[in-house]
Amino acid sequence: MPVDLTTTFSGHTFRNPFMNASGVHCMTIQELEELDNSSAGCLITKSATSSERAGNPEPRYVAVPLGSINSMGLPNAGIDYYMKYALDRQANKADSEPIFLSVAGMSVEENLKLLRKVQDSAFNGITELNLSCPNVPGKPQVAYDFETTKIILTKAFEFFDKPLGVKLPPFFDFAHFDAMAEILNQFPLTYVNCINSVGNGLYIDVEKESVVIKPKNGFGGLGGEYVKPTALANVRAFYTRLNPSIKVIGTGGIKTGRDAFEHLLCGATMLQVGTQLHEEGVSIFERLTKELQEVMAEKGYSTIDDFRGKLNSL
Protein backbone atom coordinates (compact mmCIF):
# COMPACT_ATOMS: atom_id res chain seq x y z
CA MET A 1 0.00 0.00 0.00
CA PRO A 2 1.48 3.40 -0.95
CA VAL A 3 2.05 5.78 1.96
CA ASP A 4 1.52 9.50 1.28
CA LEU A 5 3.27 11.97 3.61
CA THR A 6 1.90 15.05 1.84
CA THR A 7 1.04 17.73 4.36
CA THR A 8 -1.16 20.80 3.93
CA PHE A 9 -0.18 23.76 6.08
CA SER A 10 -1.22 27.40 5.83
CA GLY A 11 -2.76 26.79 2.43
CA HIS A 12 0.41 25.23 1.02
CA THR A 13 1.23 21.61 0.25
CA PHE A 14 4.51 20.12 1.44
CA ARG A 15 5.84 16.72 0.35
CA ASN A 16 6.32 15.65 3.97
CA PRO A 17 5.97 17.23 7.42
CA PHE A 18 9.68 17.36 8.29
CA MET A 19 11.75 20.52 8.69
CA ASN A 20 14.67 21.78 10.76
CA ALA A 21 14.17 23.40 14.13
CA SER A 22 15.16 27.05 14.07
CA GLY A 23 18.70 27.34 15.37
CA VAL A 24 19.97 24.12 13.82
CA HIS A 25 21.67 24.02 10.40
CA CYS A 26 20.20 27.38 9.38
CA MET A 27 22.70 30.05 10.39
CA THR A 28 24.19 30.62 6.94
CA ILE A 29 22.85 30.69 3.41
CA GLN A 30 24.96 27.60 2.64
CA GLU A 31 23.24 25.68 5.45
CA LEU A 32 19.81 26.89 4.35
CA GLU A 33 20.49 25.78 0.78
CA GLU A 34 21.61 22.37 2.03
CA LEU A 35 18.27 22.06 3.82
CA ASP A 36 16.44 23.24 0.72
CA ASN A 37 18.15 20.55 -1.35
CA SER A 38 17.55 17.81 1.22
CA SER A 39 14.56 15.51 1.68
CA ALA A 40 13.02 17.90 4.22
CA GLY A 41 9.51 19.07 3.41
CA CYS A 42 10.35 22.64 4.36
CA LEU A 43 12.86 24.78 6.25
CA ILE A 44 13.01 27.62 8.73
CA THR A 45 15.68 30.29 9.15
CA LYS A 46 17.67 31.03 12.29
CA SER A 47 15.72 33.28 14.67
CA ALA A 48 16.80 36.75 13.58
CA THR A 49 17.30 39.89 15.61
CA SER A 50 17.47 43.42 14.21
CA SER A 51 21.22 43.22 13.75
CA GLU A 52 23.88 40.54 13.81
CA ARG A 53 24.62 38.85 17.15
CA ALA A 54 27.69 36.82 18.05
CA GLY A 55 25.87 34.94 20.80
CA ASN A 56 27.26 33.50 24.00
CA PRO A 57 30.89 32.39 24.55
CA GLU A 58 31.83 28.82 23.64
CA PRO A 59 31.52 26.03 24.46
CA ARG A 60 27.80 26.72 24.26
CA TYR A 61 26.46 23.50 22.70
CA VAL A 62 27.44 20.02 23.83
CA ALA A 63 26.05 16.65 22.77
CA VAL A 64 25.30 14.49 25.82
CA PRO A 65 24.13 10.85 26.05
CA LEU A 66 20.39 11.48 25.70
CA GLY A 67 20.45 14.66 23.67
CA SER A 68 22.09 18.05 24.03
CA ILE A 69 22.54 21.04 26.30
CA ASN A 70 23.03 24.53 24.91
CA SER A 71 23.09 28.18 25.79
CA MET A 72 23.57 29.77 22.40
CA GLY A 73 22.53 33.35 23.12
CA LEU A 74 20.75 33.87 19.79
CA PRO A 75 23.73 34.05 17.45
CA ASN A 76 22.47 35.09 14.03
CA ALA A 77 23.37 37.16 11.00
CA GLY A 78 20.55 39.69 11.44
CA ILE A 79 17.11 40.04 9.86
CA ASP A 80 18.38 41.63 6.63
CA TYR A 81 20.58 38.58 5.88
CA TYR A 82 17.73 36.07 6.22
CA MET A 83 15.20 38.32 4.53
CA LYS A 84 17.48 38.64 1.51
CA TYR A 85 17.84 34.86 1.32
CA ALA A 86 14.07 34.42 1.54
CA LEU A 87 13.34 37.03 -1.14
CA ASP A 88 16.06 35.70 -3.47
CA ARG A 89 14.63 32.20 -3.08
CA GLN A 90 11.14 33.48 -3.86
CA ALA A 91 12.43 35.09 -7.05
CA ASN A 92 14.54 32.12 -8.17
CA LYS A 93 12.30 29.27 -7.02
CA ALA A 94 8.86 30.69 -7.60
CA ASP A 95 7.38 27.20 -7.95
CA SER A 96 8.76 25.98 -4.62
CA GLU A 97 6.92 25.76 -1.35
CA PRO A 98 7.35 28.82 0.88
CA ILE A 99 9.81 28.82 3.77
CA PHE A 100 9.46 29.88 7.38
CA LEU A 101 11.20 33.06 8.55
CA SER A 102 11.92 33.17 12.29
CA VAL A 103 12.27 36.43 14.23
CA ALA A 104 13.15 36.97 17.89
CA GLY A 105 13.31 40.42 19.41
CA MET A 106 14.98 41.22 22.72
CA SER A 107 12.07 43.45 23.75
CA VAL A 108 8.42 44.09 22.91
CA GLU A 109 9.50 46.98 20.73
CA GLU A 110 12.05 44.94 18.80
CA ASN A 111 9.59 42.11 18.19
CA LEU A 112 7.14 44.58 16.68
CA LYS A 113 9.89 46.27 14.66
CA LEU A 114 10.92 42.91 13.18
CA LEU A 115 7.34 41.97 12.34
CA ARG A 116 6.80 45.38 10.74
CA LYS A 117 9.86 44.79 8.56
CA VAL A 118 8.44 41.44 7.41
CA GLN A 119 5.00 42.96 6.85
CA ASP A 120 6.42 45.76 4.71
CA SER A 121 8.51 43.36 2.62
CA ALA A 122 7.55 41.16 -0.34
CA PHE A 123 8.08 38.01 1.77
CA ASN A 124 5.20 35.64 1.06
CA GLY A 125 6.12 32.72 3.31
CA ILE A 126 5.27 31.97 6.92
CA THR A 127 6.67 33.96 9.83
CA GLU A 128 7.53 32.52 13.23
CA LEU A 129 7.75 34.82 16.24
CA ASN A 130 10.03 33.18 18.79
CA LEU A 131 8.51 33.89 22.20
CA SER A 132 10.87 31.39 23.79
CA CYS A 133 14.44 32.65 24.08
CA PRO A 134 15.72 30.96 27.24
CA ASN A 135 19.43 31.34 26.54
CA VAL A 136 19.97 35.09 26.78
CA PRO A 137 21.49 36.02 30.16
CA GLY A 138 19.29 38.30 32.22
CA LYS A 139 16.28 37.99 29.93
CA PRO A 140 13.17 36.01 30.92
CA GLN A 141 11.25 33.95 28.39
CA VAL A 142 8.50 36.16 26.98
CA ALA A 143 5.94 33.35 26.82
CA TYR A 144 6.19 32.77 30.57
CA ASP A 145 4.90 36.33 30.99
CA PHE A 146 1.30 35.93 29.88
CA GLU A 147 0.50 39.64 30.06
CA THR A 148 3.45 40.59 27.85
CA THR A 149 2.59 37.80 25.39
CA LYS A 150 -0.91 39.20 25.02
CA ILE A 151 0.41 42.75 24.59
CA ILE A 152 2.83 41.68 21.82
CA LEU A 153 0.19 39.72 19.92
CA THR A 154 -2.41 42.48 20.29
CA LYS A 155 -0.03 45.08 18.88
CA ALA A 156 1.29 42.75 16.20
CA PHE A 157 -2.09 41.92 14.73
CA GLU A 158 -2.96 45.60 14.49
CA PHE A 159 -0.76 45.64 11.37
CA PHE A 160 0.48 42.12 10.59
CA ASP A 161 -1.74 40.25 8.16
CA LYS A 162 0.62 37.57 6.82
CA PRO A 163 0.67 33.99 8.19
CA LEU A 164 2.16 34.11 11.68
CA GLY A 165 2.98 31.44 14.22
CA VAL A 166 4.63 31.55 17.63
CA LYS A 167 7.31 29.31 19.12
CA LEU A 168 6.60 28.45 22.73
CA PRO A 169 8.69 27.18 25.62
CA PRO A 170 7.47 24.09 27.42
CA PHE A 171 4.69 24.46 29.96
CA PHE A 172 4.33 22.04 32.85
CA ASP A 173 1.02 22.80 34.52
CA PHE A 174 -2.56 22.38 33.29
CA ALA A 175 -3.39 25.87 34.55
CA HIS A 176 -0.65 27.28 32.32
CA PHE A 177 -1.83 25.29 29.29
CA ASP A 178 -5.30 26.70 29.88
CA ALA A 179 -4.16 30.28 30.40
CA MET A 180 -1.85 30.38 27.37
CA ALA A 181 -4.42 28.73 25.11
CA GLU A 182 -7.02 31.26 26.20
CA ILE A 183 -4.68 34.07 25.09
CA LEU A 184 -3.65 32.42 21.81
CA ASN A 185 -7.24 31.68 20.83
CA GLN A 186 -7.96 35.42 20.76
CA PHE A 187 -5.71 35.91 17.72
CA PRO A 188 -5.68 34.74 14.06
CA LEU A 189 -2.50 32.72 14.50
CA THR A 190 -1.50 30.18 11.87
CA TYR A 191 0.20 27.86 14.34
CA VAL A 192 2.03 27.32 17.60
CA ASN A 193 5.36 25.49 17.76
CA CYS A 194 5.81 23.21 20.78
CA ILE A 195 8.46 23.17 22.18
CA ASN A 196 11.69 25.08 22.48
CA SER A 197 14.34 23.48 24.67
CA VAL A 198 13.57 22.67 28.29
CA GLY A 199 15.31 25.56 29.99
CA ASN A 200 18.01 25.62 32.60
CA GLY A 201 19.15 22.05 32.81
CA LEU A 202 22.60 21.25 34.14
CA TYR A 203 24.93 18.56 32.82
CA ILE A 204 28.06 17.63 34.75
CA ASP A 205 31.34 16.04 33.65
CA VAL A 206 32.18 13.87 36.66
CA GLU A 207 35.79 13.33 35.64
CA LYS A 208 36.45 17.08 35.52
CA GLU A 209 33.92 17.85 38.30
CA SER A 210 32.76 20.61 35.96
CA VAL A 211 29.85 21.84 33.95
CA VAL A 212 30.15 21.31 30.18
CA ILE A 213 29.06 24.65 28.70
CA LYS A 214 30.48 28.06 29.53
CA PRO A 215 27.51 30.50 29.60
CA LYS A 216 25.33 30.87 32.69
CA ASN A 217 27.65 28.74 34.82
CA GLY A 218 26.66 25.67 32.85
CA PHE A 219 22.88 26.09 32.86
CA GLY A 220 21.36 25.48 29.43
CA GLY A 221 18.41 24.29 27.41
CA LEU A 222 17.96 20.55 27.04
CA GLY A 223 17.10 18.93 23.72
CA GLY A 224 16.84 15.45 22.27
CA GLU A 225 15.51 12.34 23.96
CA TYR A 226 15.41 14.11 27.33
CA VAL A 227 12.56 16.35 26.20
CA LYS A 228 10.33 14.13 24.05
CA PRO A 229 7.71 13.36 26.74
CA THR A 230 7.47 17.06 27.59
CA ALA A 231 7.23 17.99 23.91
CA LEU A 232 4.49 15.42 23.29
CA ALA A 233 2.56 16.68 26.31
CA ASN A 234 2.69 20.26 25.04
CA VAL A 235 1.68 19.25 21.50
CA ARG A 236 -1.28 17.33 22.88
CA ALA A 237 -2.25 20.01 25.40
CA PHE A 238 -2.39 22.76 22.80
CA TYR A 239 -3.91 20.59 20.05
CA THR A 240 -6.85 19.88 22.35
CA ARG A 241 -7.20 23.48 23.57
CA LEU A 242 -6.63 25.69 20.53
CA ASN A 243 -9.09 26.67 17.83
CA PRO A 244 -8.93 24.14 14.98
CA SER A 245 -7.64 26.90 12.69
CA ILE A 246 -4.44 27.13 14.76
CA LYS A 247 -2.18 24.24 13.83
CA VAL A 248 0.57 22.75 16.00
CA ILE A 249 4.17 22.12 14.96
CA GLY A 250 5.78 19.38 17.04
CA THR A 251 9.41 19.87 18.06
CA GLY A 252 11.43 17.91 20.57
CA GLY A 253 13.07 14.51 20.70
CA ILE A 254 12.42 13.40 17.14
CA LYS A 255 15.15 10.85 16.45
CA THR A 256 13.24 8.09 14.61
CA GLY A 257 10.16 7.64 12.48
CA ARG A 258 8.34 6.30 15.54
CA ASP A 259 9.06 9.55 17.39
CA ALA A 260 7.61 11.46 14.45
CA PHE A 261 4.54 9.20 14.47
CA GLU A 262 4.00 9.98 18.17
CA HIS A 263 4.08 13.74 17.55
CA LEU A 264 1.57 13.39 14.71
CA LEU A 265 -0.65 11.12 16.81
CA CYS A 266 -0.70 13.85 19.48
CA GLY A 267 -1.96 16.33 16.87
CA ALA A 268 1.07 17.93 15.23
CA THR A 269 0.81 18.95 11.56
CA MET A 270 4.48 19.74 10.86
CA LEU A 271 7.56 18.36 12.63
CA GLN A 272 10.84 20.06 13.43
CA VAL A 273 14.12 18.26 14.12
CA GLY A 274 16.88 19.89 16.16
CA THR A 275 19.38 17.88 18.20
CA GLN A 276 19.42 14.87 15.91
CA LEU A 277 19.80 17.07 12.82
CA HIS A 278 22.80 18.68 14.51
CA GLU A 279 24.35 15.26 15.10
CA GLU A 280 23.45 13.58 11.81
CA GLY A 281 23.24 16.32 9.19
CA VAL A 282 20.59 16.86 6.52
CA SER A 283 20.63 13.21 5.45
CA ILE A 284 18.45 12.58 8.49
CA PHE A 285 15.36 13.72 6.59
CA GLU A 286 15.61 10.90 4.09
CA ARG A 287 15.90 8.38 6.92
CA LEU A 288 13.03 9.87 8.95
CA THR A 289 10.76 9.97 5.92
CA LYS A 290 11.44 6.31 5.17
CA GLU A 291 10.97 5.25 8.80
CA LEU A 292 7.70 7.15 9.19
CA GLN A 293 6.37 5.55 6.02
CA GLU A 294 7.33 2.13 7.39
CA VAL A 295 5.51 2.74 10.69
CA MET A 296 2.40 3.94 8.84
CA ALA A 297 2.49 0.96 6.46
CA GLU A 298 2.76 -1.45 9.39
CA LYS A 299 -0.35 0.12 10.89
CA GLY A 300 -2.28 0.26 7.62
CA TYR A 301 -2.32 4.06 7.32
CA SER A 302 -1.98 5.58 3.86
CA THR A 303 -2.06 9.27 4.89
CA ILE A 304 -1.16 11.23 8.00
CA ASP A 305 -4.74 12.45 8.34
CA ASP A 306 -5.78 8.82 8.97
CA PHE A 307 -4.33 9.05 12.47
CA ARG A 308 -3.34 12.65 13.24
CA GLY A 309 -4.57 13.73 16.66
CA LYS A 310 -6.31 10.40 17.33
CA LEU A 311 -4.37 9.52 20.47
CA ASN A 312 -6.30 7.07 22.65
CA SER A 313 -6.82 7.55 26.37
CA LEU A 314 -7.19 4.70 28.85
Side-chain angles (χ1 to χ4, degrees):
M1 179 181 63
V3 174
D4 182 9
L5 297 184
T6 300
T7 298
T8 301
F9 188 91
S10 187
H12 302 282
T13 300
F14 300 94
R15 57 183 170 172
N16 65 62
F18 293 108
M19 53 192 297
N20 65 303
S22 181
V24 182
H25 210 93
C26 57
M27 177 81 82
T28 65
I29 287 175
Q30 179 181 339
E31 289 180 331
L32 290 165
E33 288 180 342
E34 287 171 1
L35 283 170
D36 208 14
N37 293 322
S38 75
S39 295
C42 193
L43 64 94
I44 186 168
T45 63
K46 183 78 175 72
S47 291
T49 48
S50 299
S51 55
E52 184 177 3
R53 284 178 59 89
N56 290 339
E58 298 194 21
R60 58 193 185 186
Y61 176 101
V62 172
V64 290
L66 292 178
S68 62
I69 184 168
N70 82 87
S71 180
M72 302 298 290
L74 272 178
N76 73 95
I79 183 65
D80 291 340
Y81 180 88
Y82 301 108
M83 182 80 76
K84 182 179 187 304
Y85 167 77
L87 295 177
D88 287 347
R89 183 183 180 278
Q90 272 178 210
N92 298 325
K93 294 187 174 183
D95 296 335
S96 297
E97 300 84 357
I99 66 168
F100 289 64
L101 180 68
S102 178
V103 298
M106 308 300 290
S107 64
V108 173
E109 293 73 25
E110 187 180 9
N111 276 316
L112 296 172
K113 177 184 173 184
L114 290 163
L115 290 176
R116 175 70 75 178
K117 191 176 188 75
V118 178
Q119 174 67 31
D120 292 344
S121 75
F123 178 65
N124 62 10
I126 302 160
T127 304
E128 178 168 286
L129 175 61
N130 188 348
L131 295 179
S132 173
C133 298
N135 299 325
V136 180
K139 300 286 186 179
Q141 295 200 39
V142 173
Y144 285 155
D145 183 338
F146 292 174
E147 183 179 350
T148 299
T149 297
K150 186 172 182 179
I151 289 170
I152 290 175
L153 292 177
T154 298
K155 292 184 176 181
F157 282 110
E158 288 175 358
F159 64 86
F160 200 88
D161 62 10
K162 297 180 178 183
L164 178 67
V166 292
K167 184 163 189 179
L168 298 177
F171 294 95
F172 303 96
D173 193 291
F174 274 39
H176 294 156
F177 291 138
D178 292 341
M180 180 54 73
E182 183 180 359
I183 292 170
L184 298 175
N185 277 331
Q186 297 174 37
F187 300 97
L189 287 163
T190 299
Y191 71 92
V192 300
N193 185 347
C194 304
I195 57 172
N196 205 332
S197 55
V198 173
N200 293 322
L202 189 66
Y203 192 86
I204 293 171
D205 182 330
V206 172
E207 298 304 315
K208 296 180 180 178
E209 300 182 16
S210 168
V211 300
V212 296
I213 58 174
K214 185 171 184 177
K216 295 165 61 176
N217 294 313
F219 284 72
L222 298 177
E225 293 177 70
Y226 291 115
V227 310
K228 189 180 78 168
T230 300
L232 293 174
N234 277 259
V235 168
R236 188 63 179 171
F238 284 105
Y239 176 76
T240 56
R241 285 168 172 79
L242 293 176
N243 298 330
S245 60
I246 303 177
K247 304 305 179 187
V248 180
I249 293 180
T251 307
I254 297 177
K255 187 175 183 178
T256 68
R258 298 189 78 84
D259 299 326
F261 183 88
E262 291 176 29
H263 270 270
L264 296 166
L265 190 63
C266 285
T269 297
M270 299 285 282
L271 306 170
Q272 292 187 356
V273 186
T275 295
Q276 199 59 29
L277 169 60
H278 189 281
E279 297 307 308
E280 205 168 316
V282 297
S283 63
I284 189 175
F285 293 111
E286 184 175 358
R287 177 176 67 77
L288 288 176
T289 299
K290 182 173 179 287
E291 290 179 359
L292 176 58
Q293 288 175 320
E294 289 171 351
V295 173
M296 289 170 59
E298 286 172 16
K299 292 178 169 290
Y301 295 128
S302 58
T303 71
I304 292 172
D305 286 336
D306 291 342
F307 66 93
R308 185 203 317 281
K310 297 179 182 179
L311 179 67
N312 294 315
S313 295
L314 299 182

